[in-house]
Amino acid sequence: MHPDSVTDWLKKFSKRHGLPHINPHGFRHTMASMLYFNGVDSVSISKRLGHAQVSTTANIYAHVIEEADQRNADILSEIFLKKARL
């Protein structure tokens, strides 16, 4: 398979269905972000991405990790405040 085959197919598919174009590598970033936002640890995500070191993953996805952590803090805050009101 030629390396451009998937990219070309995605481009045509997106156009045909009125979707924004996303390159295949974008799915990789989407997967990692979704895993972080669902509480999966950096070691597991790093292995899935094939990074030799977890620090590589942490550096690339630092902004995602920070945002996911803030969401988790907000969730905990809501839980504790709800229980305090009961």
Side-chain angles (χ1 to χ4, degrees):
M1 177 182 281
H2 190 274
D4 290 337
S5 296
V6 175
T7 303
D8 291 342
W9 184 88
L10 277 172
K11 192 180 296 183
K12 290 173 188 171
F13 180 88
S14 297
K15 187 173 185 175
R16 186 170 50 246
H17 295 285
L19 301 169
H21 176 68
I22 184 169
N23 63 36
H25 199 74
F27 289 110
R28 177 180 170 90
H29 291 296
T30 300
M31 177 206 57
S33 297
M34 289 172 66
L35 292 173
Y36 272 118
F37 279 106
N38 283 281
V40 178
D41 62 282
S42 291
V43 174
S44 298
I45 295 171
S46 183
K47 284 182 182 178
R48 180 167 289 273
L49 291 170
H51 292 158
Q53 297 181 355
V54 177
S55 61
T56 301
T57 309
N59 290 337
I60 293 170
Y61 294 97
H63 64 287
V64 174
I65 295 168
E66 189 176 305
E67 188 177 339
D69 186 55
Q70 183 59 52
R71 281 192 184 181
N72 291 336
D74 293 344
I75 290 168
L76 287 172
S77 177
E78 287 179 31
I79 291 168
F80 290 132
L81 290 173
K82 183 186 255 185
K83 288 188 178 188
R85 285 185 236 137
L86 295 176

